[in-house]
Amino acid sequence: MSSTVSIIGSAVLALLLAGYMAQKYGLPPPPPKIVGIDLGTTFSSIGVYHAVTGDTEIIADDLGKRSIPSVVGFLANGSVLVGHRAVEQQEKNPLRTIYDAKRFIGKTFSEDDPQFIADKERYPFTIKLFENGSAYFEIPLSSSIKIVTPEEVGSIIISYLRNAAEKEKKTPIAQLVISVPAEFDDIQRNATAKAASLSGMEVRRIISEPTAAALAYGLHKKKGVEYIVVVDLGGGTLDVSVLWLQGGIFVTQAMAGNNRLGGQDFNDRVQHHLMDHIESKYGKKLEDKEDLQQLRMAIEEAKIRLTTFPKAVISLDLKDLDTFDYVLTRDQFEAINEELFDHITEPIAAALEDAHIGTQDVDEIVLVGGSTRMPRVRKLVGSYFKRTPNYGIDPELAVVTGASVQAGVIGGGWPLQVAAMELASKQRKRHIYKEKRAPNVECSV
Ligand SMILES: *[C@@H]1O[C@H](CO)[C@@H](O)[C@H](O)[C@H]1NC(C)=O
Ligand SMILES: *[C@@H]1O[C@H](CO)[C@@H](O)[C@H](O)[C@H]1NC(C)=O
Ligand SMILES: *[C@@H]1O[C@H](CO)[C@@H](O)[C@H](O)[C@H]1NC(C)=O
């Protein structure tokens, strides 16, 4: 123990010295060697930790975006587009534009699994299964059929992020810390690691997303913090984790989630509402694939606008029908989605119950995921705990910020602060979700 302390001590000394020299003689800070990557279901991002200043920097791509859509588009000639460029052509190229690949990574399915059948119907691109049950995507190119695995989609996204970081930092970077959902099992963690190694990078640490979010807010060095609840409402899922922090070590005490409750589900309800409206107005169903894609993208934009403004205009130029304009108010958006909002506190209650604690025992609440920008969500969670959640960091960048802090810890750039650690969780996650036309189902997986 004492030798560990002295090693850490001299590392800190060397670092302080480097910082002093840098300030005194205007030397550039040492280039980062390890990046933090959040390979998310809907968005991904990359960051570095600056040893001397202790800041994390989330790096933008050449379009200036720090949240990169986890979307990969293939052109008929085989060219590959990533992020916003892939999203821009998605409407015109739905069969060759892959998103949500993380939902399939490291998992196996059977052809008659109702969930898999529903997924096949839900996505415009073709999903098939290998004999061993792993999913892959089948992409029709002009002269061949391309087969792409979820790991390969992940590696394309990681390579894109790495290129952006190397370009910005003007240095090669070959190591990463990558975050995964808390409930990912070893196979899913390995598959995520495989995505990283396919891109030529070395995985230094896999960190769970809630722990990363807590690190981002510096909760590991805040006095008197014992229990932290992380509420992550992303594009496809709601995940709640109870973390127990003891001596700089994070232990996941409980997890609960609803894998049918995320930003997309709010969009889907609005889509159904608008499609009914269109059908009654034109006497015709909206069926064209490109029209539907246009509608989906307009709804996403409207939802984002409604996080700051009381109303949003949806304007469509439909191939099948006509121009279509609709004013959606925030009140209307919340009314259409009332039932979904009602379900948000269920996994929170379940996780607290499994951790054997009450709301009064919780010291800190962290909100993660773009969907926590919806004002209604912040309000719901705040009043449930009678306490204001942490939300200063962009909820879409909290996980990558924490992964970058962890990268800084591993890289030795963590002066005078507790080196955060995470113990592997043996907890099972409780899944709470609402089946179509069925009562609430609750199960342990
Ligand atoms: C494929 O087509 C796109 C435009 O349609 C073009 O920009 C790109 O250079 C082409 N790629 C190859 C490999 O020919
Ligand atoms: C299943 O087979 C595919 C193709 O051979 C392979 O890429 C994948 O890793 C395999 N999955 C498992 C779980 O072994
Ligand atoms: C995951 O990878 C590690 C190291 O590569 C290996 O030892 C372990 O058996 C793998 N676990 C699973 C479940 O594939």
Side-chain angles (χ1 to χ4, degrees):
M1 187 67 197
S2 70
S3 68
T4 314
V5 169
S6 75
I7 289 168
I8 291 174
S10 44
V12 165
L13 214 71
L15 212 91
L16 288 179
L17 200 66
Y20 173 80
M21 300 289 273
Q23 275 189 344
K24 178 128 181 159
Y25 301 106
L27 298 176
K33 292 195 171 61
I34 314 178
V35 286
I37 287 186
D38 170 11
L39 183 63
T41 307
T42 42
F43 287 96
S44 296
S45 34
I46 188 166
V48 293
Y49 177 79
H50 292 292
V52 175
T53 59
D55 295 330
T56 47
E57 176 188 356
I58 310 309
I59 297 168
D61 67 1
D62 59 336
L63 300 174
K65 307 283 189 182
R66 298 191 300 169
S67 275
I68 312 302
S70 302
V71 181
V72 174
F74 297 87
L75 302 183
N77 64 12
S79 283
V80 182
L81 300 171
V82 182
H84 287 92
R85 290 187 181 88
V87 172
E88 270 167 21
Q89 54 86 63
Q90 184 171 19
E91 209 178 299
K92 297 252 146 52
N93 193 19
L95 297 177
R96 300 190 198 99
T97 304
I98 311 297
Y99 58 94
D100 277 4
K102 187 179 174 180
R103 279 191 160 191
F104 301 93
I105 204 164
K107 287 216 256 183
T108 52
F109 305 86
S110 66
E111 291 287 359
D112 53 6
D113 174 2
Q115 170 90 58
F116 180 68
I117 293 167
D119 278 343
K120 274 177 86 152
E121 280 169 12
R122 172 184 184 135
Y123 293 107
F125 45 84
T126 305
I127 310 165
K128 291 199 169 169
L129 297 180
F130 288 118
E131 280 193 3
N132 60 16
S134 292
Y136 65 93
F137 311 109
E138 199 178 80
I139 296 143
L141 302 182
S142 53
S143 55
S144 62
I145 301 267
K146 189 177 175 65
I147 283 172
V148 181
T149 63
E151 290 87 337
E152 285 166 340
V153 174
S155 86
I156 292 169
I157 295 165
I158 292 169
S159 295
Y160 180 86
L161 294 168
R162 176 195 192 177
N163 285 340
E166 290 184 334
K167 216 163 140 191
E168 172 68 27
K169 295 288 119 195
K170 300 184 176 62
T171 183
I173 305 172
Q175 300 179 4
L176 58 74
V177 169
I178 193 162
S179 57
V180 293
E183 84 272 16
F184 260 27
D185 63 19
D186 284 346
I187 298 170
Q188 290 168 298
R189 281 166 201 254
N190 278 10
T192 305
K194 188 177 169 195
S197 48
L198 283 174
S199 77
M201 297 190 84
E202 181 196 342
V203 181
R204 290 297 305 270
R205 177 86 48 99
I206 295 176
I207 179 175
S208 77
E209 290 165 3
T211 299
L215 289 175
Y217 280 99
L219 300 182
H220 57 295
K221 51 189 166 110
K222 194 166 169 181
K223 281 207 170 66
V225 175
E226 198 178 344
Y227 284 104
I228 302 164
V229 171
V230 181
V231 178
D232 181 350
L233 186 58
T237 58
L238 167 63
D239 289 302
V240 179
S241 306
V242 177
L243 305 179
W244 184 57
L245 179 57
Q246 202 66 9
I249 297 177
F250 287 92
V251 184
T252 304
Q253 292 286 62
M255 292 175 276
N258 183 330
N259 55 8
R260 316 236 171 112
L261 181 53
Q264 195 54 50
D265 298 281
F266 292 85
N267 295 20
D268 287 350
R269 295 215 172 196
V270 175
Q271 187 180 336
H272 281 135
H273 174 84
L274 289 179
M275 282 170 71
D276 287 348
H277 178 83
I278 287 171
E279 194 178 346
S280 66
K281 186 170 171 188
Y282 295 92
K284 190 165 180 235
K285 265 202 166 83
L286 194 62
E287 279 171 335
D288 181 80
K289 263 195 167 173
E290 287 180 17
D291 280 352
L292 287 172
Q293 188 64 20
Q294 195 190 143
L295 177 65
R296 279 194 279 269
M297 291 174 71
I299 290 169
E300 174 67 17
E301 275 169 32
K303 180 180 69 179
I304 292 167
R305 188 171 168 83
L306 291 177
T307 64
T308 2
F309 300 99
K311 63 182 173 187
V313 181
I314 293 175
S315 284
L316 304 174
D317 190 1
L318 300 173
K319 212 166 76 178
D320 236 16
L321 301 164
D322 204 348
T323 56
F324 172 77
D325 293 295
Y326 192 91
V327 178
L328 184 68
T329 67
R330 187 190 290 169
D331 287 345
Q332 203 183 351
F333 177 87
E334 290 181 355
I336 293 168
N337 287 303
E338 190 62 47
E339 204 205 344
L340 293 177
F341 286 116
D342 284 346
H343 287 300
I344 285 177
T345 53
E346 286 170 1
I348 302 178
L352 292 179
E353 189 187 316
D354 284 358
H356 305 293
I357 59 171
T359 52
Q360 73 284 354
D361 301 312
V362 175
D363 302 301
E364 296 284 343
I365 305 136
V366 176
L367 296 183
V368 185
S371 302
T372 60
R373 286 208 194 91
M374 288 190 274
R376 184 72 181 277
V377 174
R378 224 182 277 170
K379 213 167 118 190
L380 267 168
V381 176
S383 58
Y384 187 80
F385 285 100
K386 300 186 185 62
R387 179 186 290 260
T388 312
N390 287 284
Y391 63 86
I393 298 174
D394 180 336
E396 256 159 5
L397 300 179
V399 170
V400 68
T401 300
S404 305
V405 168
Q406 181 71 71
V409 171
I410 292 170
W414 195 239
L416 302 176
Q417 273 151 2
V418 185
M421 289 259 306
E422 186 185 15
L423 283 190
S425 172
K426 297 270 179 285
Q427 298 301 320
R428 296 165 133 211
K429 180 178 173 183
R430 256 218 269 183
H431 290 280
I432 299 164
Y433 51 84
K434 199 163 161 55
E435 290 279 11
K436 284 194 180 94
R437 275 181 233 94
N440 272 348
V441 180
E442 198 173 308
C443 62
S444 274
V445 175

